[in-house]
Amino acid sequence: MTEKRKMMKFLTFCVDYEQHSIEYADSLNVTFAEFLKSKELTPNLVKYIVHSIACVALDAPLLEGLKATQTFLKSLGRYGNTPFIFPLYGSGDVTQAFCRFAAVYSGIYCLNRTVNSLIVNTEDQRVSSIVCTAGQNIKCSHVVASPRLLTRALQTDPFVKTLNVSHAVLLTDASLLESDNKGISQLSILPGSLGDGQTQLVKGLELDASSCCCPVDTYLIHLLCPSTNSTAEEDLKGFVERYLATPDMQVDGKPHLLWSIFFNQEWLQVDQLHCHSENSEVPANVHLVSDPTLSSGYEAAVSEARAVFQRICPGEEFLPAPVSQEEVSRDSEEELEYQPSEIKEQNNE
């Protein structure tokens, strides 16, 4: 009960922590985990809050951890019993949703084309057009792109960092959870949990058929962690050995592994605050965006998109609420209502 009271007191503080800055004013230079320890929370509570509520790294700055905890708490009950919402058919459907949304506002797409090269004006060092794989020259005022579009020399810009990631995708015949309430689950495997060779936090996501990402009666598990060994399998095989039964094992009580793949990836991360400084060789109207992060949500991507948008359209509102079709129809009717009678007659004709 003592642990529960301490945790509830801390979570209540996090809901509106900005109003109680005096409580952390002297701790701004410490990590979130160190701040939790200073509040006399037990080691178990510290791990639980850091990895399962805030979902941040142990060395995350204090304000980052407080904000992440507040976001978690304010998301509870918003779309159901959990603070999380997951796109049907996987995160790739978020891209499709954006494409459909942009098309409503006259966004134009060139299908089956990629960028071959950028044409840079030598006078002002700005990109004036792009050349696509079909050889078409397309004029542009701005280019928003991954650093991969640039030459290798610019990819090694000091404001573009490389994160090496180990990724595993596993298909099983049962959930890791013993509870009947399966659904979609987030996993945090602490360093050392899979053996002495595991030095990094492993983040995971288990999906059932309700996500439309796998067949009925199967479960899809994604595992991610920073690479420490030469292959992803070396980094993540401990998870399979501990929690799953492989075809060559006769083990009861564990989900059986039906299919698996392990691979490594290079994720490029862009420092938005400095990538357009005087020391950067990136053209002024080229706006670089990062690959995914190990974060559980889309906060980093949205923050980056906002920063790019404000550079391109200073003073404009970022992602305004879309106008519903009902409002458009109502506005049109009101406009017609106040038109002069002769105009109404012309419209009727």
Side-chain angles (χ1 to χ4, degrees):
M1 289 301 293
T2 303
E3 275 194 337
K4 184 177 179 180
R5 283 196 298 269
K6 286 183 177 180
M7 185 175 76
M8 291 308 298
K9 181 180 178 181
F10 177 76
L11 295 181
T12 302
F13 155 73
C14 286
V15 171
D16 57 353
Y17 72 90
E18 299 97 334
Q19 308 302 319
H20 309 284
S21 58
I22 192 171
E23 292 197 30
Y24 59 86
D26 296 332
S27 305
L28 293 176
N29 294 325
V30 305
T31 65
F32 181 52
E34 289 170 341
F35 180 73
L36 293 176
K37 294 174 185 175
S38 72
K39 294 297 181 181
E40 299 182 354
L41 297 175
T42 64
N44 280 339
L45 283 181
V46 171
K47 291 178 182 178
Y48 181 74
I49 293 172
V50 169
H51 297 300
S52 299
I53 295 181
C55 300
V56 296
L58 272 174
D59 58 354
L62 171 60
L63 292 182
E64 179 185 335
L66 291 176
K67 181 62 179 176
T69 305
Q70 183 189 66
T71 300
F72 180 99
L73 296 172
K74 289 188 174 182
S75 300
L76 282 167
R78 191 162 184 178
Y79 293 105
N81 296 326
T82 82
F84 302 109
I85 184 170
F86 186 82
L88 294 179
Y89 305 101
S91 57
D93 216 50
V94 175
T95 308
Q96 293 190 52
F98 172 78
C99 291
R100 292 191 292 270
F101 184 76
V104 173
Y105 290 89
S106 304
I108 299 174
Y109 296 87
C110 297
L111 304 180
N112 297 321
R113 299 284 188 274
T114 56
V115 177
N116 251 0
S117 58
L118 304 176
I119 307 301
V120 180
N121 189 321
T122 55
E123 294 181 0
D124 57 7
Q125 291 301 306
R126 293 174 66 88
V127 173
S128 58
S129 62
I130 65 171
V131 179
C132 70
T133 47
Q136 184 180 6
N137 191 307
I138 304 173
K139 293 183 178 180
C140 59
S141 300
H142 296 272
V143 176
V144 180
S146 164
R148 301 178 194 283
L149 181 65
L150 306 181
T151 64
R152 196 66 186 173
L154 290 181
Q155 281 187 31
T156 56
D157 189 296
F159 308 119
V160 179
K161 306 297 183 185
T162 299
L163 174 63
N164 294 304
V165 177
S166 291
H167 194 166
V169 184
L170 316 171
L171 189 68
T172 66
D173 64 351
S175 173
L176 294 167
L177 300 178
E178 296 179 359
S179 166
D180 292 333
N181 185 20
K182 305 292 193 301
I184 299 171
S185 306
Q186 182 173 274
L187 315 171
S188 293
I189 300 103
L190 303 185
S193 302
L194 304 179
D196 296 336
Q198 184 207 355
T199 59
Q200 299 286 344
L201 174 73
V202 175
K203 289 195 171 186
L205 192 67
E206 183 186 68
L207 309 172
D208 68 356
S210 69
S211 69
C212 300
C213 293
C214 56
V216 176
D217 295 330
T218 63
Y219 294 81
L220 190 67
I221 301 173
H222 285 272
L223 300 174
L224 288 165
C225 72
S227 300
T228 55
N229 293 294
S230 56
T231 66
E233 188 166 6
E234 290 179 78
D235 285 329
L236 299 170
K237 66 180 180 181
F239 179 90
V240 175
E241 294 170 352
R242 177 162 182 172
Y243 295 107
L244 304 177
T246 55
D248 56 345
M249 295 171 56
Q250 298 296 324
V251 180
D252 295 327
K254 288 185 178 183
H256 288 80
L257 181 64
L258 306 176
W259 177 87
S260 65
I261 186 171
F262 298 83
F263 53 95
N264 291 94
Q265 295 176 294
E266 278 191 355
W267 289 354
L268 301 180
Q269 308 296 308
V270 179
D271 181 351
Q272 291 293 336
L273 291 177
H274 302 99
C275 65
H276 287 288
S277 67
E278 294 179 358
N279 297 326
S280 176
E281 296 182 29
V282 179
N285 62 336
V286 173
H287 309 275
L288 303 181
V289 290
S290 302
D291 288 336
T293 68
L294 290 172
S295 171
S296 304
Y298 292 95
E299 291 88 352
V302 173
S303 176
E304 196 170 61
R306 182 183 289 107
V308 171
F309 178 83
Q310 288 173 349
R311 284 201 299 270
I312 297 175
C313 306
E316 295 293 328
E317 183 181 3
F318 177 71
L319 279 183
V323 179
S324 69
Q325 189 60 44
E326 291 180 2
E327 291 176 345
V328 172
S329 301
R330 187 167 58 250
D331 290 344
S332 299
E333 290 172 3
E334 291 174 356
E335 240 177 68
L336 188 60
E337 187 69 28
Y338 289 101
Q339 284 181 349
S341 57
E342 60 270 18
I343 296 179
K344 285 188 181 180
E345 292 173 2
Q346 290 175 8
N347 289 339
N348 291 334
E349 290 175 3

